[in-house]
Amino acid sequence: MKCYELQGPDGIDGLALVDKPVPEPGDGQVLVRLRAATLNYRDLLTVKGGYGSRQKFPLVPASDGAGVIERVGPNVREFAAGDRVIGSFFESWIAGEPSEAKMRSALGGAVDGVLSEYRIFPKHALVRTPKHLSDIEAAALPCAGLTAWSATVKLGSVKPGQTVLTQGTGGVSLFALQFAKMCGARVIATSSSDAKIERLKQLGADFTLNYRATPDWGKKAREWSGHGVDLVVEVGGVGTLNESIRATRIGGTIAFIGVLAGPPPSDLRLPLMVMQQQRLQGVTVGSVEDLQAMVDAIAACRMKPVIDKIFPFDQAKQAFAHMESGAHFGKVAIEID
């Protein structure tokens, strides 16, 4: 089988297409013929050596994949050859609260990921693909989709009539917009591109802000919502945290996910967060049980992930470069065929 492998933190050019034997599933294991993968910013960080000495090499990158079961090992009765499945981001986090042990097995980081023609999964780390989704669409769900689900539904507890603010047009932000609308919430969406803002409106955003044209977007969001937003899905990190604090209502929540916006400002408004009794909630994907809950909701609502561009398997490097450019709207996908 062919797979991409990183031998060290050499950047996108260090991705090597190598040949390996097709593995055999053991007791309680499943061999999946992967059909698609999608990229997250975390995958780009991994390729560029952003995790330092903690990074495992050699490594098959990318966490988000979907495919078809080729064959099952002994004592696997839950699945059969031909079933379409999605792999969970954390193979050992089956349910309940997170722990160090449960979060050790992150695909494409601590263990090999999915940028491969075949991969062995433990049976407990798989969920069935919703019938209305293609494999490429399903491959968007394990990290970006579940992170947005955890931020808005599981941890954010978004309710009808509340207001959610999303940042940008990457995978997590667009999923958060879709899940917030699914819950009956209003959505304020930001972007630096007027063209992308028009697409955000088409997805259901109720109010949009160009954060380059409106640097005080937090103040504007607070004014539009009336008393401040109930939840900010914060993918920028400390670089955008000041405006997120400004946008959030007294007692509201900031779901803290990303590191896209660079270093913190010199006047970080943490005292304001304290005075307004806001909650800063870290979000790191979720469990297999959470993945199943999200998949069930997506199937019931027939929701479709937003796919930006699909690259063939032999152009995986170009897919990473496209994501690095920031030009994408939604998920960057790789078809493994």
Side-chain angles (χ1 to χ4, degrees):
M1 69 174 189
K2 292 189 181 299
C3 66
Y4 281 92
E5 196 172 72
L6 283 166
Q7 299 297 331
D10 302 319
I12 295 171
D13 289 338
L15 279 170
L17 188 59
V18 301
D19 278 305
K20 290 185 176 182
V22 176
E24 281 295 324
D27 188 39
Q29 294 182 330
V30 174
L31 176 67
V32 176
R33 171 69 167 95
L34 290 158
R35 297 292 189 187
T38 64
L39 300 181
N40 298 289
Y41 183 71
R42 172 222 186 224
D43 301 319
L44 186 61
L45 273 182
T46 301
V47 167
K48 296 169 73 174
Y51 289 92
S53 61
R54 293 177 296 164
Q55 185 62 63
K56 166 191 176 292
F57 294 112
L59 175 73
V60 177
S63 61
D64 288 16
V68 181
I69 292 177
E70 186 85 1
R71 54 185 173 273
V72 301
N75 297 312
V76 178
R77 297 177 180 82
E78 298 87 346
F79 297 101
D83 287 347
R84 296 172 63 228
V85 290
I86 306 162
S88 180
F89 182 91
F90 289 115
E91 290 185 331
S92 300
W93 187 3
I94 300 170
E97 293 296 311
S99 69
E100 184 178 349
K102 290 176 180 178
M103 297 175 79
R104 276 198 196 113
S105 57
L107 270 63
V111 299
D112 282 340
V114 298
L115 213 51
S116 178
E117 290 181 319
Y118 293 91
R119 190 184 188 280
I120 295 287
F121 291 85
K123 64 180 182 179
H124 61 255
L126 295 171
V127 303
R128 284 181 171 79
T129 299
K131 292 179 181 179
H132 74 288
L133 296 184
S134 68
D135 291 325
I136 286 169
E137 291 167 333
L141 301 180
C143 180
L146 189 53
T147 298
W149 173 268
S150 294
T152 54
V153 180
K154 184 187 179 184
L155 300 172
S157 303
V158 171
K159 298 175 178 60
Q162 290 188 327
T163 305
V164 175
L165 186 146
T166 63
Q167 299 172 342
T169 57
V172 171
S173 297
L174 295 190
F175 270 116
L177 191 163
Q178 290 174 293
F179 289 139
K181 297 303 293 184
M182 182 190 294
C183 293
R186 303 184 302 170
V187 175
I188 300 171
T190 71
S191 174
S192 62
S193 161
D194 288 338
K196 288 182 177 180
I197 279 174
E198 289 306 310
R199 297 182 67 183
L200 287 168
K201 292 175 181 176
Q202 292 169 16
L203 269 180
D206 299 278
F207 184 64
T208 55
L209 287 161
N210 185 316
Y211 62 79
R212 290 202 197 281
T214 312
D216 60 343
W217 53 266
K219 178 183 177 183
K220 298 296 182 185
R222 191 182 191 98
E223 289 172 353
W224 183 83
S225 61
H227 60 284
V229 305
D230 299 279
L231 173 71
V232 175
V233 180
E234 173 57 81
V235 299
V238 290
T240 49
L241 186 56
N242 265 354
E243 290 304 312
S244 292
I245 293 170
R246 207 175 187 185
T248 305
R249 68 168 173 84
I250 294 173
T253 300
I254 299 170
F256 200 76
I257 297 164
V259 292
L260 301 178
S266 58
D267 60 338
L268 194 58
R269 291 192 178 99
L270 293 181
L272 181 59
M273 176 181 283
V274 174
M275 290 167 59
Q276 297 195 135
Q277 201 166 310
Q278 295 169 349
R279 179 165 63 112
L280 187 63
Q281 172 67 60
V283 181
T284 305
V285 200
S287 67
V288 181
E289 184 179 76
D290 297 328
L291 180 62
Q292 185 65 66
M294 179 192 69
V295 164
D296 290 344
I298 287 172
C301 296
R302 298 189 67 79
M303 193 189 102
K304 289 257 189 177
V306 179
I307 304 299
D308 173 75
K309 191 172 182 180
I310 302 168
F311 290 82
F313 192 54
D314 61 1
Q315 292 181 19
K317 291 182 182 180
Q318 289 92 320
F320 275 95
H322 178 62
M323 183 172 190
E324 187 176 33
S325 74
H328 56 290
F329 185 95
K331 296 294 290 177
V332 178
I334 298 169
E335 189 168 26
I336 307 172
D337 191 1

